[in-house]
Amino acid sequence: MKNDDGLFRGVNIGDTQDQVQQAERSAPSAFTDNVLTYEGQINETSDYAIRYGFENGSLFEIIVDASFENTEDGVKVINGFKEFFNERYGMFKLGSGYCVWDIQTNVANVHIELVDDSEYASFGQFSLNFHKQNDPES
C-alpha cells in the first residue's frame, strides 16, 4: 500500500499525472498520454504492475496485477488487502467470486475489486482495481 494516505499508494481518483508521479517517487516503467505504468518486484519470485489510467488529465482508474510463484505468498497479500480495506471502508461484498467495496471519496464514487485469479494459473495471481463510477445523475 506504500502509505495510508490517499486511496492507494498516496494516490486518489481525480489526481493529475504529476501528482501520481510525485506519490510514486519514481519514473514510470512505461507511459502514454493516458496511462502511467509502474512495475516492480515484491520479492525474488513475486512481481507487480500498476497502471494508472487518465481521462481528460484526471486519474479515473488504478489497475494492479501481481504474480507470486509461491501461491501462499499471494494469499497473504490478498488477505492483507482485504483486512486493510475492510477496516477502512467496511466489510466487502461478494461480486461474482471477488471482493467489492463501493466507496465515496471527496472527488467521486469509487468501485474497488479484489480478484484472486490463482485458480486459472499454476501460480498465485491477483488483481486489484479501482474505478471511478459514473455519476448516475449525469
Side-chain angles (χ1 to χ4, degrees):
M1 291 296 294
K2 198 170 190 175
N3 64 48
D4 286 345
D5 296 334
L7 185 61
F8 180 74
R9 297 175 61 90
V11 174
N12 287 297
I13 295 296
D15 284 356
T16 65
Q17 285 191 9
D18 287 342
Q19 289 172 306
V20 171
Q21 288 183 46
Q22 287 174 359
E24 283 291 341
R25 299 185 186 126
S26 64
S29 54
F31 62 92
T32 67
D33 288 342
N34 295 318
V35 178
L36 296 175
T37 302
Y38 290 85
E39 298 173 322
Q41 293 218 232
I42 298 167
N43 59 37
E44 291 179 11
T45 61
S46 305
D47 56 34
Y48 68 89
I50 304 170
R51 288 180 300 285
Y52 295 99
F54 297 85
E55 189 173 76
N56 300 320
S58 176
L59 182 66
F60 80 95
E61 72 177 349
I62 305 168
I63 300 171
V64 182
D65 292 307
S67 298
F68 300 85
E69 188 173 300
N70 180 345
T71 304
E72 291 175 11
D73 290 342
V75 169
K76 288 178 187 174
V77 171
I78 287 171
N79 287 337
F81 276 117
K82 282 182 192 175
E83 183 178 311
F84 178 83
F85 289 128
N86 282 341
E87 285 179 20
R88 198 166 197 191
Y89 305 121
M91 189 65 178
F92 67 86
K93 296 175 187 153
L94 207 52
S96 298
Y98 50 87
C99 300
V100 173
W101 296 264
D102 286 309
I103 65 167
Q104 172 67 46
T105 70
N106 292 338
V107 176
N109 293 323
V110 178
H111 181 78
I112 304 170
E113 297 177 354
L114 178 60
V115 182
D116 183 353
D117 294 321
S118 300
E119 68 181 277
Y120 305 109
S122 60
F123 50 90
Q125 184 173 359
F126 81 88
S127 63
L128 177 62
N129 304 302
F130 302 81
H131 299 279
K132 178 180 176 182
Q133 296 285 77
N134 291 330
D135 186 358
E137 297 175 11
S138 56

